[in-house]
C-alpha cells in the first residue's frame, strides 16, 4: 500500500440530511444541509491561518461544495479527484447505521468494518486508492500544503492504515495527518 511521504490535512465534508439521520451515505450524492454549509464556513475560518496552499476534493457534491467554500475564503486552487470519493457501502447504502450495528452486535468502527457487505467496495481497496491519491498529489506538489476534503470512511481508512487506529471525526473539523520521526499521528487543527 502506498503511504504518503509527508504531513497533509484532511477534512470531512459538512453535514447532509442523511448524516443527521444516521444513514450510510456512500456514493449517494446528497447536498449539504444548512448545518453543513455553516460547518464549511467555520472550517474555512479555522484554516485561514494554517497555510493551506491547495485543496483536493472528492467529486461528490457534499465534499466539493465544502471545498469550494473553503477555497473561496482562503483563496487557493481547488481540484477534484475521484481517488478520495466515499466508500461504496453496497446494499447498506441508505440504511440506518445504528440499526445495522445493533443487528450485528457491533459497537465500534472496527466492528462496523467487519460487517460491511460483499456487494460494496473492499475496505482495504478503498484505503489503498485513497492513500495512493493523497501520495500522488503530495509528490506532484512538493512545496504545497495540501488539504483533502473528503469523507469519514476515507479519512478513517487512511488513519487506520497510517496510525493503526480510528479517530473521532466530526463534520467540518480539520485534522492534520502528521508525519514525524517516521511515525504518523492525527491531530485536530485548532486556532
Amino acid at each position: 500500500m502506498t503511504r504518503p511521504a509527508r504531513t497533509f490535512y484532511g477534512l470531512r465534508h459538512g453535514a447532509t440530511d442523511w448524516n443527521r439521520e444516521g444513514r450510510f451515505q456512500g456514493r449517494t450524492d446528497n447536498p449539504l444541509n444548512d448545518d453543513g454549509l455553516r460547518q464549511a464556513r467555520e472550517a474555512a475560518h479555522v484554516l485561514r491561518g494554517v497555510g493551506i496552499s491547495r485543496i483536493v476534493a472528492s467529486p461528490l457534491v457534499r465534499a466539493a461544495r465544502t471545498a469550494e467554500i473553503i477555497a473561496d475564503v482562503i483563496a487557493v486552487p481547488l481540484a477534484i479527484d475521484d481517488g478520495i470519493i466515499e466508500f461504496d457501502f453496497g446494499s447498506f447504502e441508505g440504511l440506518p447505521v445504528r440499526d445495522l450495528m445493533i443487528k450485528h452486535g457491533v459497537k465500534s468502527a472496527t466492528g462496523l468494518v467487519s460487517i460491511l457487505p460483499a456487494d460494496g467496495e473492499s475496505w482495504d481497496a478503498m484505503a489503498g486508492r485513497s492513500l495512493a491519491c493523497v501520495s500522488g498529489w503530495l509528490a506532484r506538489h512538493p512545496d504545497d500544503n495540501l488539504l483533502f476534503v473528503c469523507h469519514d470512511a476515507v479519512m478513517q481508512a487512511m488513519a487506520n492504515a497510517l496510525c493503526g487506529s480510528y479517530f473521532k471525526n466530526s463534520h467540518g473539523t480539520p485534522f492534520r495527518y502528521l508525519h514525524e520521526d517516521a511515525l504518523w499521528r492525527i491531530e485536530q487543527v485548532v486556532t
Side-chain angles (χ1 to χ4, degrees), residues 66-180:
T66 300
E68 288 169 1
I69 291 167
I70 296 167
D72 285 349
V73 170
I74 64 174
V76 298
L78 167 63
I80 302 296
D81 195 311
D82 289 348
I84 53 173
I85 196 169
E86 179 61 305
F87 184 72
D88 179 352
F89 287 103
S91 56
F92 279 11
E93 189 76 9
L95 298 177
V97 175
R98 187 171 185 276
D99 291 357
L100 286 168
M101 289 179 77
I102 291 168
K103 177 181 176 181
H104 293 278
V106 299
K107 300 182 185 322
S108 67
T110 303
L112 189 59
V113 169
S114 74
I115 66 165
L116 293 170
D119 65 348
E121 187 174 11
S122 151
W123 188 260
D124 290 340
M126 185 264 297
R129 76 164 157 80
S130 300
L131 287 169
C133 175
V134 168
S135 296
W137 278 97
L138 292 171
R140 288 189 305 274
H141 301 279
D143 298 326
D144 281 343
N145 213 2
L146 277 90
L147 168 67
F148 295 88
V149 179
C150 51
H151 309 274
D152 189 38
V154 169
M155 291 178 67
Q156 296 293 355
M158 291 192 301
N160 193 49
L162 296 173
C163 305
S165 64
Y166 300 106
F167 69 106
K168 174 135 176 57
N169 189 10
S170 300
H171 295 281
T173 302
F175 288 89
R176 182 180 295 114
Y177 288 69
L178 191 61
H179 188 238
E180 287 182 325

Side-chain angles (χ1 to χ4, degrees), residues 12-25 28-37 39 61-63 66 151 171:
R12 183 182 185 186
H13 61 79
T16 69
D17 288 343
W18 274 25
N19 290 132
R20 291 299 179 233
E21 295 166 8
R23 297 182 180 280
F24 284 100
Q25 192 161 219
T28 301
D29 206 5
N30 292 319
L32 297 174
N33 60 22
D34 288 341
D35 283 341
L37 291 166
Q39 291 161 343
V61 69
R62 60 192 183 267
T66 300
H151 309 274
H171 295 281

Side-chain angles (χ1 to χ4, degrees), residues 30-61:
N30 292 319
L32 297 174
N33 60 22
D34 288 341
D35 283 341
L37 291 166
R38 178 187 48 75
Q39 291 161 343
R41 290 188 294 271
E42 289 173 358
H45 292 292
V46 169
L47 290 164
R48 190 183 306 238
V50 172
I52 300 296
S53 52
R54 182 178 303 273
I55 299 174
V56 180
S58 158
L60 296 176
V61 69

Side-chain angles (χ1 to χ4, degrees), residues 7-10 50 174-178 185-190:
T7 297
F8 63 95
Y9 293 81
V50 172
F175 288 89
R176 182 180 295 114
Y177 288 69
L178 191 61
R185 66 184 167 89
I186 297 173
E187 62 183 24
Q188 184 175 336
V189 176
V190 292

